[in-house]
Amino acid sequence: MPDDLLRHVVGPQPYASWWLWLAIALTVALVAFYAAVFLLTGPGRGGRELPLLGAARERRLRQRSARAVRRIGERYRAGELAAAPAGTAASHELRRFLHLATGVPAEYLQVSDLADSEIASAAPVLEQFVDIQFNSASEADVARVLRDAEELILSWT
């Protein structure tokens, strides 16, 4: 091959630098998006630091939990649930609400331990649920206890 043709052979062309900046910007945007989703929707305390978002989340949590307890009460009054299963379901819902609202692991604590914690005001209702669940001769009014649980959830601060 003659040397005069080598002037037509060239190396690869360099890429434009804007591709690098575009890749960096997209990566930063993706990381920021996932961080925002995690902070704003996660069950931790991240969203509670934002006053407006934290208040909206807590109100939605109260409404959802109260609605669930109300449905359990409706099913109990309709005869779909017996007293013990209704007490179990409502107790589970109340304990889940308390855990999400306060951070206290209410699902795993005994009622006596709950009475010594920051959610002591919920202990009497939970104690009645325990009586309904495990005492077949319980004289507790299940419908009233369910209403008390719903009121407790709606008035929780």
Side-chain angles (χ1 to χ4, degrees), residues 38-49 57 100:
F38 178 74
L39 289 176
L40 297 177
T41 62
R45 293 200 159 278
R48 290 192 186 113
E49 294 171 4
R57 178 184 299 150
L100 292 174

Side-chain angles (χ1 to χ4, degrees), residues 79-99:
E80 295 177 26
L81 286 175
T88 302
S91 175
H92 174 73
E93 184 61 38
L94 179 59
R95 286 174 180 264
R96 187 184 70 79
F97 166 77
L98 292 170
H99 176 75

